[in-house]
Amino acid sequence: MGRLTVAALALALAAAGCGPQLTTETESVPDPDVRQVLDRWDAADLAAPRFLPLGPLTSWGPEWDLPMSTATLYDGFVEPAPGVALPAGPQRGIIRWPGGAELDVPLLTARQALADLQESAQWCPGCQGGAPIRLTGAEPVTAEILTDRGTATVPAWSFTVEGGAVRITRVAVTPGGPGDPSGGARLGPRYVTPGPDDRTLTVRFQGRAEGDGPCTADYPARAAESRYAAVVVLSEIRTSAPGSACATVLHPRTVTVTLTEPLGRRVLLDVGGRPVRVERR
């Protein structure tokens, strides 16, 4: 994970000596880490077979018929029902792309795929409440996943759910490539949309609320670029009142960043070297 540096800058924001004193805290990612990410991609053999997903690895269907909301799934609040042992399944499988390209890969067991789902909580990790989603079984299937080489047919697990007809699907393959699979940043972009010039990027992510009161934050953004990749770097300038606790509630946020050159066919990465989903209009 990219190293985070924290510098506290005290700002007296109380008006006429009244009201709480607010402080700002800045978190950023050091440039050397970003350069290492770009260097890994520039040195990699990008023609070598690899599975680099640009879309979500978890899906569900045909309709959500559970009493809890889909946020329960996105928070990773999913577990096997009592007494349910999830299967191991095949040890290897094939990823297939249109045009005939194939990649033989080791597969995750259903329990390992579930663990990946739990660890990839998107909205508010650790903020679960109420009843979890309980799984009653799993079977091997395939899923259509957007990758850096187009949409691929990928081995996956389809989980049956207690109390509903909905099935939850999770990819059974660990993404690979020159990025660091253990890297990344808490301030990572979720989706990025290039503008008509292919240089202006709209970055969507989860963060603190917008504003200038306690428990809010600003998010300056910049980009680092190389021949084969670009990295979006988000900094966080947090505002808080001494002695006050801010609830761990994340809000949808949007910022823009401009590249020096059009993104083109370059891969867009977070600071851990993992591809970020690019939605072109």
Side-chain angles (χ1 to χ4, degrees):
M1 184 171 187
R3 297 188 303 271
L4 294 179
T5 60
V6 181
L9 304 175
L11 297 178
L13 300 179
C18 302
Q21 185 184 47
L22 301 180
T23 62
T24 63
E25 297 175 334
T26 302
E27 295 191 1
S28 61
V29 180
D31 285 342
D33 287 352
V34 175
R35 179 49 53 188
Q36 290 173 12
V37 167
L38 293 173
D39 288 346
R40 283 199 300 269
W41 275 84
D42 286 353
D45 179 6
L46 298 185
R50 65 194 186 279
F51 173 52
L52 292 178
L54 303 184
L57 302 183
T58 303
S59 60
W60 51 267
E63 64 176 284
W64 192 262
D65 58 354
L66 301 178
M68 64 284 290
S69 73
T70 55
T72 307
L73 172 62
Y74 296 134
D75 288 345
F77 200 22
V78 185
E79 62 185 34
V84 172
L86 297 178
Q91 295 184 343
R92 302 195 68 84
I94 304 293
I95 299 176
R96 294 182 170 87
W97 283 268
E102 296 185 349
L103 179 62
D104 183 278
V105 290
L107 299 183
L108 302 174
T109 66
R111 191 66 187 87
Q112 290 170 331
L114 173 60
D116 277 0
L117 186 160
Q118 294 167 332
E119 292 171 3
S120 65
Q122 296 183 19
W123 302 105
C124 188
C127 297
Q128 303 97 336
I133 298 170
R134 288 198 166 95
L135 307 179
T136 57
E139 63 178 348
V141 295
T142 59
E144 302 297 307
I145 301 295
L146 179 64
T147 76
D148 65 326
R149 298 182 175 188
T151 300
T153 301
V154 183
W157 285 101
S158 176
F159 295 96
T160 53
V161 179
E162 185 178 79
V166 64
R167 298 177 75 97
I168 296 171
T169 302
R170 177 71 184 188
V171 165
V173 181
T174 299
D180 180 359
S182 63
R186 187 172 57 81
L187 298 176
R190 291 296 178 191
Y191 305 101
V192 175
T193 303
D197 61 358
D198 204 33
R199 293 177 57 240
T200 304
L201 307 180
T202 299
V203 182
R204 287 175 284 165
F205 61 100
Q206 298 290 314
R208 285 194 175 197
E210 190 173 4
D212 55 9
C215 302
T216 61
D218 290 329
Y219 293 95
R222 64 179 180 83
E225 302 173 62
S226 69
R227 179 180 178 182
Y228 295 112
V231 177
V232 173
V233 182
L234 295 176
S235 297
E236 181 179 64
I237 302 176
R238 301 185 300 181
T239 302
S240 58
S244 65
C246 296
T248 310
V249 177
L250 301 182
H251 301 264
R253 297 294 302 267
T254 301
V255 299
T256 59
V257 61
T258 302
L259 304 176
T260 59
E261 300 288 341
L263 181 61
R265 295 182 61 83
R266 292 184 294 175
V267 177
L268 191 64
L269 309 167
D270 67 15
V271 295
R274 295 177 296 192
V276 175
R277 182 175 180 178
V278 176
E279 296 182 331
R280 297 187 182 274
R281 295 177 178 176

